[in-house]
Amino acid sequence: MVSTFFYYGVFVLCAAAGEKGLVPPPLAAWAANIFFAVAAGGWMLRGRSFHLG
């Protein structure tokens, strides 16, 4: 659940940056997805697992 709110926060920040012209709009739209894909890839390459209990 925490990751969902974190994703939403990153997405909103990126969307705002795209609307203000700080980054190109297509990059702003995909930035949260790219960030989380890179983070997940790094997590998998390090061999980490997530256990609930």
Side-chain angles (χ1 to χ4, degrees):
M1 186 130 176
V2 172
S3 62
T4 302
F5 287 113
F6 185 68
Y7 173 82
Y8 181 72
V10 171
F11 179 78
V12 169
L13 277 171
C14 294
E19 288 176 0
K20 292 185 185 286
L22 298 174
V23 294
L27 176 60
W30 282 94
N33 294 331
I34 293 168
F35 173 78
F36 275 84
V38 169
W43 194 275
M44 288 191 306
L45 286 175
R46 292 176 65 185
R48 301 268 175 132
S49 63
F50 183 76
H51 297 286
L52 293 174

